[in-house]
Amino acid sequence: RTDVQQFKVRLPEKSGIDFGEFELLFSCLTNLTHLTVIAVRGFRLTRAERWEHLIRTYLPHLRDFRFKFNPILERTDARQLLAAFQTPFWLVEHRWHVHCDYHRVQSTGWRDTKNVHLYTLPYCHDEFYLCSSTTALTDTGKDVYATIGQLCFIINGPLETNLQDRFQFPSLHSLAVQN
């Protein structure tokens, strides 16, 4: 056991870590009050009920939980993924608000593939990737993206109609544009 109260985990794209390994790690960090998890792909980490169990079991003092997962999903409904984070545990008990947006990935065949961004607000990272075809599944407040200094804007189709209303970056100092 340790007295660490703040902890940040960054998982690279090819990380194979799963919830069992997270449980082992957090069983030693039971005094955490602030936790940030950033996973470039992180599909295995998008299960809200597993996070709830892990937090209730190992992290009883956790007050601030922020995450950013960016899985590629095939034949998975992003709305269902988000709905799992819209329970009383997340919204009422802890007041942790999770946002989800996605854009379709060009693929061949019958696959419905989406690049999904699932993250807590306020946003926990200083860079953000946004596509012209991004669909946002939730509304956001004015300052929730205030931590973002670097934006990568990818032009991959027509501009989504409400994009400029849903994403505002008051602290932006760097913009990269790709097509």
Side-chain angles (χ1 to χ4, degrees):
R1 304 246 185 249
T2 178
D3 290 332
V4 172
Q5 292 184 339
Q6 296 185 18
F7 200 69
K8 187 172 194 173
V9 178
R10 289 179 184 244
L11 299 175
E13 185 170 344
K14 304 252 187 231
S15 174
I17 195 168
D18 62 21
F19 265 97
E21 292 159 322
F22 262 107
E23 287 177 347
L24 183 61
L25 172 66
F26 293 125
S27 69
C28 300
L29 297 170
T30 57
N31 289 320
L32 282 182
T33 58
H34 295 75
L35 174 62
T36 301
V37 179
I38 298 173
V40 174
R41 286 293 169 240
F43 175 70
R44 289 183 218 135
L45 303 178
T46 60
R47 297 193 41 212
E49 70 281 355
R50 292 291 304 266
W51 279 110
E52 180 177 345
H53 172 76
L54 187 146
I55 291 165
R56 286 190 190 281
T57 305
Y58 300 107
L59 304 174
H61 306 291
L62 193 63
R63 291 190 320 263
D64 185 20
F65 178 42
R66 298 183 184 203
F67 65 78
K68 179 182 98 155
F69 306 132
N70 185 219
I72 300 289
L73 302 180
E74 292 181 4
R75 299 180 306 273
T76 301
D77 186 356
R79 292 179 200 284
Q80 287 179 327
L81 185 65
L82 176 63
F85 288 92
Q86 305 296 309
T87 65
F89 172 81
W90 295 92
L91 297 175
V92 178
E93 189 175 333
H94 291 285
R95 294 188 176 137
W96 294 331
H97 297 278
V98 178
H99 183 77
C100 184
D101 57 69
Y102 69 90
H103 66 272
R104 297 201 184 283
V105 176
Q106 288 188 343
S107 62
T108 59
W110 50 270
R111 291 188 284 181
D112 178 22
T113 306
K114 298 176 195 77
N115 187 334
V116 175
H117 297 132
L118 184 71
Y119 49 91
T120 51
L121 294 174
Y123 196 68
C124 66
H125 204 253
D126 66 343
E127 60 185 28
F128 193 81
Y129 289 83
L130 185 63
C131 295
S132 58
S133 65
T134 294
T135 300
L137 298 181
T138 52
D139 291 326
T140 60
K142 183 177 179 182
D143 295 324
V144 296
Y145 298 105
T147 59
I148 297 169
Q150 302 174 56
L151 174 65
C152 180
F153 186 70
I154 301 164
I155 301 170
N156 66 343
L159 188 63
E160 178 65 29
T161 54
N162 294 346
L163 206 56
Q164 66 275 11
D165 296 330
R166 293 186 183 231
F167 297 95
Q168 296 179 14
F169 307 101
S171 303
L172 192 65
H173 59 79
S174 175
L175 172 66
V177 179
Q178 299 176 0
N179 62 0

